[in-house]
Amino acid sequence: MERLFTYDDNHWMRLALQEARLAFEQGEVPIGAVVVANNKPIAQTHNQVELLKDPTAHAELLAITAATEALGGKYLTDCTLYVTLEPCIMCIGALRWAQIGHIVYGASDPKGGYNRWAPLAPHPKTKITAGILEREAQKLLTTFFQQRR
Amino acid sequence: MERLFTYDDNHWMRLALQEARLAFEQGEVPIGAVVVANNKPIAQTHNQVELLKDPTAHAELLAITAATEALGGKYLTDCTLYVTLEPCIMCIGALRWAQIGHIVYGASDPKGGYNRWAPLAPHPKTKITAGILEREAQKLLTTFFQQRR
């Protein structure tokens, strides 16, 4: 059944933040992602680098793999990815290959984010929105790293 | 038992080219990769984007996942990755996270390679060697795309 209304960016970012909190509880750097197609979530993932001992297991990469599997194709042109932190080079490269329609991220990552290393990396057709629930995402990361010291 | 000699770069790149040929036979863009640790191959992979319908299934990403699983840790500091084509942004980002010791690639990729988009992306401790069996790798790619036209 078609939904009669459209959720806003804050709604989906809250879902991504829930995923980030799951990561936090599991001792992972708290980053979460959600892929939305037609106003429905088709992938919800969080960082699993430590669990899988795999440096490629970022929330975004896991989300792309899950979303393409859900859709049965390698492109995500009509999808939006919500992610709590600005994607790194690896993830922005993957999102380019997927030709994702829209990227919405929360906190900026001046050290490891793609804007520092490869600002022209996003696919030219990808819309990008930054700063959605930025403070919540950043607070989660700050708390995580403070506890680790 | 320790081997009494060390294989050279051409030896391992020939193995990566064999992987690329497997990809070719499966209708995948022919790119292959091998990860070597202590003079032994610990991962041999090829591009599986079409088979898995997953844009992240590049030879290098699959190789990193397989190699970290083989070693039981998320870093590949003492490993060399042989790959038949210059890595893209996604893959160089992943290799940075893995802190791979050495990257050896065959053909250059002026359009999609990391040197165009993010030349500073490799980890500062990663050694890079380009052009090993470059012509063989390039010929495989050229033949593949000619057949597709």
Side-chain angles (χ1 to χ4, degrees), chain A residues 50 53-54 65 72 74 89, chain B residues 50 53-54 65 72 74 89:
Chain A
E50 301 304 329
K53 294 190 177 73
D54 182 347
T65 297
K74 65 178 175 171
I89 312 173
Chain B
E50 301 304 328
K53 295 190 177 68
D54 183 347
T65 297
K74 65 177 174 172
I89 312 173

Side-chain angles (χ1 to χ4, degrees), chain A residues 100-104 123-129:
Chain A
I100 191 124
H102 189 180
I103 299 169
V104 180
H123 193 278
K125 289 187 183 165
T126 298
K127 185 181 161 192
I128 297 183
T129 305

Side-chain angles (χ1 to χ4, degrees), chain A residues 111-127:
Chain A
K111 196 178 160 198
Y114 76 90
N115 281 298
R116 172 175 175 191
W117 299 95
L120 300 177
H123 193 278
K125 289 187 183 165
T126 298
K127 185 181 161 192

Side-chain angles (χ1 to χ4, degrees), chain B residues 29-130:
Chain B
V29 177
I31 301 164
V34 174
V35 177
V36 176
N38 294 320
N39 204 31
K40 286 172 204 153
I42 60 167
Q44 296 176 234
T45 56
H46 56 265
N47 179 27
Q48 295 196 307
V49 166
E50 301 304 328
L51 175 70
L52 301 177
K53 295 190 177 68
D54 183 347
T56 74
H58 285 199
E60 300 96 311
L61 245 68
L62 299 173
I64 292 168
T65 297
T68 51
E69 196 173 334
L71 295 180
K74 65 177 174 172
Y75 295 117
L76 299 174
T77 41
D78 296 324
C79 298
T80 299
L81 172 94
Y82 292 85
V83 59
T84 55
L85 184 68
E86 179 189 343
C88 72
I89 312 173
M90 172 178 74
C91 291
I92 203 71
L95 291 161
R96 182 187 176 92
W97 287 116
Q99 299 188 13
I100 191 122
H102 190 180
I103 298 169
V104 180
Y105 67 84
S108 291
D109 184 1
K111 194 177 161 199
Y114 76 90
N115 280 300
R116 172 175 174 191
W117 299 95
L120 300 176
H123 192 279
K125 288 187 185 165
T126 298
K127 185 181 162 189
I128 297 182
T129 306

